[in-house]
Amino acid sequence: MSGRQRKVVCITELRQACRTCSLQELCLPMGLAAEDIQRLESIVGHKGPLERGRHLFREGDPFQSIYAVRDGALKTYSIDADGREHVLGFHLPGELLGLDAIYPRVNRCSAVALSNASVCVLPYDRLSDLAHEVSGLQSQIFRLLSKDLSISANLATDHTAEERLAGFLISIAARSGAGTELKLVMPRRDIASYLRLATETVSRLLARFQQEGYVEVHRKNLQLLNVEGLRRLGGSFELTGLASAIRRPLRG
Amino acid sequence: MSGRQRKVVCITELRQACRTCSLQELCLPMGLAAEDIQRLESIVGHKGPLERGRHLFREGDPFQSIYAVRDGALKTYSIDADGREHVLGFHLPGELLGLDAIYPRVNRCSAVALSNASVCVLPYDRLSDLAHEVSGLQSQIFRLLSKDLSISANLATDHTAEERLAGFLISIAARSGAGTELKLVMPRRDIASYLRLATETVSRLLARFQQEGYVEVHRKNLQLLNVEGLRRLGGSFELTGLASAIRRPLRG
DNA sequence: CGAGTACTTGACCCAGATCAAGCCATGTGG
DNA sequence: CCACATGGCTTGATCTGGGTCAAGTACTCG
């Protein structure tokens, strides 16, 4: 609503956001030539600041744009027939939202800010047109869609609560790129919903992980003390979509 | 290996396969002009017959092509660190396989024929090039990736065994497009793995569904007696990726 | 027709859900 | 600056859906 016109720097800042995280190759403008980035800049809009609790879009909205997080964090969720909320994903700086709406042309989930956030707005039709002309962009969109597919498929497999939570912590650490010290912006309830656990289970497991020396938790502040150990606990439960990326040391 | 050259009719036959199912809009060549279909034909290969139990590709293979099922059925699966198999999906005529390998450029799963099958081979680089030129093709690939994303995200949400199985039956019926009478080509063990249930649970539930008049099962043959009821049991658990498609009567 | 494999059915068990207090940080008004 | 409300978080006690183990049964194919 408010600052929808500061276009020139949006993609550039987005790249900046990607650089701070260890998974740079997941960034939309990754690998594009300077002039192509310029063209991408020319079609994107900017939205923000979006304060905590505000919605970026809602389930049922007609699909027009996908979004890239520049700053802050958002979650996507849907409400099922019984009125229960299911958290579908957390979106940190550099990551995309709204890809699952391309097919049905209607948003299948809602997106809300977990902290004050700002996003790039990528009008789908224009992005799609541009992807025709800029080869690297098309490939990158294919790759990003494909990546989300891997994550989601893995999330769908059968794992214990311990594996889920350990994998989740590793994933958040890798994606936030802040080394071993990180802030859990999302409440326990949302983590639980995302991992399909009860809030109490998340709480108990965090307590156990702490007791066993894997982490130090205090409220939203979390310090990883034994990343290798957590990774072992996580087993085959991976949420980054790229085994190799997570295998290299954090703070890459 | 064997008949890899009969190109001319492959895509055309693929469309045929799509027509027999009620979800035509999911077909790759959907909506393309005749001349574009011709161009698509020119890059695709053909592979088959692939007999039951034979692999189309294996986890770890370098990624080169995606595939479209022309005839028969396949499943994709991966083996986790503990050697346990996880079924990731079933692929019926008209559907694509291998999309999740685009990002990592390595196949993250294996694909095996559940019955004698034949597939179209779509070399990714060439497909990607062609998608630049043919606007409808790029969009369709975006849409298909997006659809798989929705399915996978939904599969990842939290549902009871009853909901899962009911949703699965509805989905298979809609996709195989054979009305209410259908054949479960995959063994119970695979259905169970896909839905993250024990084989015994699938067996018990099918018995219960029969007892309660929803279906008539005999081994691999299944007859849906009360589709509306099953849909109600399935609740919000949907595996077609498009609510509206499944809501319209089968045998569309 | 015998061996192997897929499926079914029953008995028991457990990871994690649910229910129920209590706790602790932050905010708000007096 | 304190009382006290509010909502997120933790911890304990109990319950249960569906997993596991075990023992058949019935196709299928050589």
Side-chain angles (χ1 to χ4, degrees):
Chain A
M1 301 258 143
S2 41
R4 223 181 176 297
Q5 286 317 315
R6 280 198 298 131
K7 292 183 172 185
V8 196
V9 292
C10 193
I11 289 294
T12 314
E13 284 185 16
L14 181 59
R15 291 177 79 205
Q16 209 59 40
C18 292
R19 235 179 246 117
T20 67
C21 108
S22 62
L23 302 172
Q24 291 176 40
E25 52 196 292
L26 301 184
C27 186
L28 183 67
M30 177 72 198
L32 296 192
E35 58 165 336
D36 292 330
I37 291 190
Q38 215 35 256
R39 299 179 69 184
L40 189 52
E41 287 281 17
S42 78
I43 68 161
V44 309
H46 173 248
K47 191 160 183 171
L50 193 69
E51 40 193 85
R52 185 191 145 119
R54 276 293 171 76
H55 276 77
L56 179 58
F57 54 80
R58 284 174 191 275
E59 200 166 349
D61 286 353
F63 169 69
Q64 277 162 345
S65 304
I66 60 179
Y67 303 88
V69 183
R70 267 187 35 183
D71 191 48
L74 297 93
K75 73 170 176 186
T76 42
Y77 68 92
S78 68
I79 305 290
D80 73 14
D82 313 325
R84 316 221 325 169
E85 174 181 320
H86 296 262
V87 173
L88 301 173
F90 298 110
H91 307 271
L92 305 185
E95 300 176 346
L96 298 185
L97 289 86
L99 297 173
D100 58 343
I102 296 174
Y103 171 54
R105 293 235 145 225
V106 170
N107 278 302
R108 319 244 12 224
C109 60
S110 306
V112 66
L114 288 168
S115 61
N116 293 351
S118 70
V119 299
C120 296
V121 179
L122 303 147
Y124 179 70
D125 290 336
R126 294 225 240 161
L127 183 65
S128 177
D129 288 346
L130 187 59
H132 271 299
E133 298 167 36
V134 178
S135 147
L137 184 58
Q138 186 196 64
S139 324
Q140 191 62 358
I141 298 174
F142 284 157
R143 298 179 73 216
L144 289 168
L145 276 158
S146 173
K147 181 206 53 152
D148 279 8
L149 201 50
S150 300
I151 292 181
S152 191
N154 190 30
L155 192 55
T157 56
D158 190 21
H159 295 276
T160 63
E162 181 179 276
E163 288 172 320
R164 286 170 192 281
L165 187 61
F168 175 75
L169 295 180
I170 292 285
S171 144
I172 289 290
R175 289 155 58 196
S176 62
T180 57
E181 196 114 18
L182 57 113
K183 194 155 188 205
L184 297 174
V185 274
M186 64 296 284
R188 302 283 193 269
R189 174 175 29 87
D190 286 346
I191 298 177
S193 170
Y194 179 60
L195 299 175
R196 278 150 299 135
L197 299 172
T199 309
E200 294 93 326
T201 303
V202 170
S203 198
R204 279 187 253 267
L205 276 174
L206 281 176
R208 219 188 76 209
F209 285 174
Q210 168 154 280
Q211 187 183 304
E212 290 169 357
Y214 292 107
V215 300
E216 178 89 37
V217 222
H218 184 65
R219 292 253 133 181
K220 303 211 161 287
N221 303 303
L222 189 130
Q223 158 116 267
L224 303 187
L225 300 175
N226 180 356
V227 176
E228 225 11 87
L230 273 181
R231 199 163 280 153
R232 234 176 296 117
L233 285 188
S236 57
F237 188 69
E238 304 227 342
L239 294 173
T240 56
L242 182 61
S244 62
I246 203 171
R247 291 268 150 65
R248 69 188 197 212
L250 296 180
R251 175 73 88 187
Chain B
M1 297 260 141
S2 43
R4 225 182 175 297
Q5 287 316 318
R6 280 197 300 131
K7 291 184 173 184
V8 196
V9 291
C10 194
I11 290 293
T12 313
E13 282 185 18
L14 182 59
R15 291 176 80 206
Q16 209 59 43
C18 293
R19 237 179 245 118
T20 67
C21 106
S22 62
L23 302 171
Q24 290 177 39
E25 52 197 292
L26 302 183
C27 186
L28 183 67
M30 179 70 198
L32 297 191
E35 57 166 335
D36 292 331
I37 292 192
Q38 214 35 256
R39 299 179 69 182
L40 189 52
E41 287 280 18
S42 77
I43 67 162
V44 308
H46 174 248
K47 192 161 185 171
L50 193 69
E51 41 195 86
R52 185 191 146 119
R54 276 293 172 75
H55 276 76
L56 179 58
F57 54 79
R58 283 176 192 275
E59 200 165 351
D61 287 352
F63 169 69
Q64 279 163 343
S65 304
I66 60 178
Y67 304 88
V69 182
R70 266 187 35 183
D71 192 47
L74 297 94
K75 73 170 176 185
T76 42
Y77 68 93
S78 69
I79 304 290
D80 73 15
D82 313 323
R84 315 221 323 169
E85 174 182 321
H86 296 263
V87 173
L88 301 173
F90 299 109
H91 307 272
L92 304 185
E95 300 175 347
L96 298 185
L97 289 85
L99 296 172
D100 57 344
I102 295 174
Y103 171 54
R105 293 236 147 224
V106 171
N107 278 301
R108 320 247 9 227
C109 59
S110 305
V112 66
L114 289 168
S115 60
N116 294 349
S118 71
V119 300
C120 296
V121 179
L122 303 146
Y124 180 69
D125 291 338
R126 295 224 240 159
L127 183 65
S128 176
D129 287 347
L130 186 60
H132 272 300
E133 298 166 35
V134 178
S135 146
L137 184 58
Q138 186 196 65
S139 325
Q140 191 63 359
I141 298 174
F142 284 157
R143 298 179 73 217
L144 290 169
L145 277 157
S146 172
K147 181 206 52 154
D148 279 8
L149 200 52
S150 301
I151 292 182
S152 191
N154 190 29
L155 191 55
T157 56
D158 189 23
H159 295 275
T160 64
E162 180 179 276
E163 288 173 321
R164 286 170 191 282
L165 187 61
F168 175 75
L169 296 180
I170 293 286
S171 144
I172 288 290
R175 289 155 59 197
S176 61
T180 56
E181 196 114 16
L182 58 113
K183 193 155 188 202
L184 297 173
V185 274
M186 64 296 283
R188 302 283 193 271
R189 172 174 30 86
D190 287 346
I191 298 177
S193 169
Y194 178 61
L195 299 175
R196 278 151 298 135
L197 299 172
T199 309
E200 295 92 324
T201 303
V202 170
S203 199
R204 278 188 255 266
L205 277 174
L206 280 176
R208 219 189 75 209
F209 285 174
Q210 167 154 281
Q211 188 183 306
E212 292 169 354
Y214 293 107
V215 300
E216 178 89 37
V217 222
H218 184 64
R219 290 255 135 181
K220 304 209 161 287
N221 303 304
L222 190 130
Q223 158 115 267
L224 303 187
L225 300 176
N226 180 355
V227 176
E228 225 9 89
L230 273 180
R231 198 162 280 152
R232 234 176 296 118
L233 285 188
S236 57
F237 188 68
E238 305 229 340
L239 294 172
T240 55
L242 183 61
S244 62
I246 202 173
R247 290 269 151 64
R248 71 188 195 213
L250 296 179
R251 174 74 90 189

